[in-house]
Amino acid sequence: MSTPLLDRPSALPRECVPALVDLVVALADNKHALGLRYGEWCSSGPTIESGVAATAMAQDELGHARVLYGMLEELPGAPRRSEHEWAAADARIVAFLDASFPTWPHLIVANVLLDQALALVLRTALESHYLPLRQRARKIIEEEEYHAIHGQGWLRALAAEGEPVRARLTGLVRDAWPDVLCWFGPDGGGALACLVDAGILQEAGDRVRDRFLGVIGPLFRDTGVEAPVRVRGTRWAAAEPLPWASWDAQARRVRR
């Protein structure tokens, strides 16, 4: 028997609402912050074209945040959020977005890792039984394809500049790695498990993380950028334990 579609917040299983609120807040806040960070490079990129690309991605991310903030207005218990009233001190963002990106490689690592991790989580909602989330996820994912192409292309170009640049990229990947890999949740999804059980997300935890590693693992191998990921047989996996003891499931951030 198929699970019925949920067309409004009151149709949601009550026990799933807090987890959904926390996820949507964190998705929206990270996208808003990422849009601001991209926007800071609109006129500072290494080429005219890179500035144009940063501008386009900034507009996309801020637009995605706006769409998700609109969803929060309908969910019971959701905190007040809007593109005009967003306060960084109250934001549920990963540490890599706490400060402005001082270099273009910072932006590219955020593009390759965080931008694509958020997109992959939203992909798990493309067939969501909760229609407001499904509709928003589909709109957002349509605009995310270019971001992946941009990040991978620039990572290859930067890595080709030589070992000092690759070493710098490796350090930045290390900085962002714990938050990004934990974003998908622990083994069975952790706080997201109830959303999977209710059909609000298709999957969470290791299955989504493995898919992410299967994309970025070959990219890092081919570019010579070192990352804590290894291929084991036909599967890419994290090469080091993740810091679950420091993971804040509500804020979706590793506490340092």
Side-chain angles (χ1 to χ4, degrees):
M1 182 176 178
S2 61
T3 304
L5 293 177
L6 312 170
D7 60 354
R8 59 193 182 281
S10 61
L12 288 165
R14 185 173 301 176
E15 66 275 12
C16 292
V17 173
L20 180 60
V21 167
D22 289 342
L23 176 63
V24 174
V25 170
L27 279 167
D29 280 355
N30 276 283
K31 280 187 160 290
H32 187 93
L34 188 59
L36 294 178
R37 298 294 175 245
Y38 284 161
E40 291 166 350
W41 280 86
C42 289
S43 60
S44 304
T47 66
I48 293 175
E49 292 78 7
S50 64
V52 172
T55 301
M57 292 195 301
Q59 291 174 334
D60 286 345
E61 295 299 341
L62 292 172
H64 299 166
R66 187 180 308 117
V67 166
L68 292 167
Y69 285 142
M71 182 176 166
L72 289 176
E73 295 174 5
E74 307 163 0
L75 289 171
R80 184 185 180 93
R81 283 289 196 277
S82 82
E83 59 186 303
H84 303 297
E85 298 173 358
W86 183 85
D90 186 42
R92 301 182 190 180
I93 61 174
V94 299
F96 202 71
L97 298 179
D98 280 344
S100 298
F101 296 152
T103 69
W104 184 251
H106 280 77
L107 183 147
I108 297 306
V109 168
N111 189 180
V112 169
L113 291 181
L114 181 59
D115 196 334
Q116 296 313 302
L118 299 178
L120 194 53
V121 170
L122 282 162
R123 282 189 179 278
T124 70
L126 287 176
E127 299 301 329
S128 177
H129 291 147
Y130 184 48
L131 289 180
L133 179 59
R134 179 197 289 198
Q135 292 162 351
R136 287 168 170 84
R138 289 184 172 183
K139 172 179 174 57
I140 290 170
I141 290 302
E142 286 176 2
E143 298 175 350
E144 281 287 345
E145 299 297 335
Y146 170 74
H147 295 211
I149 295 170
H150 178 272
Q152 292 181 19
W154 263 104
L155 188 76
R156 293 179 189 279
L158 289 171
E161 292 182 10
E163 181 54 34
V165 179
R166 288 194 293 274
R168 179 61 173 149
L169 290 167
T170 293
L172 294 173
V173 167
R174 281 277 184 179
D175 289 345
W177 191 258
D179 276 318
V180 171
L181 268 289
C182 286
W183 234 91
F184 307 109
D187 255 1
L192 302 182
C194 68
L195 302 181
V196 176
D197 293 342
I200 297 168
L201 300 179
Q202 292 171 284
E203 53 192 1
D206 277 348
R207 293 183 64 180
V208 189
R209 186 165 30 252
D210 287 352
R211 190 172 303 115
F212 179 73
L213 292 172
V215 172
I216 64 168
L219 176 65
F220 289 140
R221 176 198 59 199
D222 295 346
T223 57
V225 175
E226 296 181 18
V229 57
R230 300 289 182 269
V231 64
R232 296 171 181 168
T234 59
R235 176 176 171 265
W236 286 88
E240 301 172 357
L242 295 175
W244 294 117
S246 303
W247 173 245
D248 183 330
Q250 182 184 49
R252 306 206 69 73
R253 174 183 175 126
V254 175
R255 294 298 182 188
R256 290 168 169 81

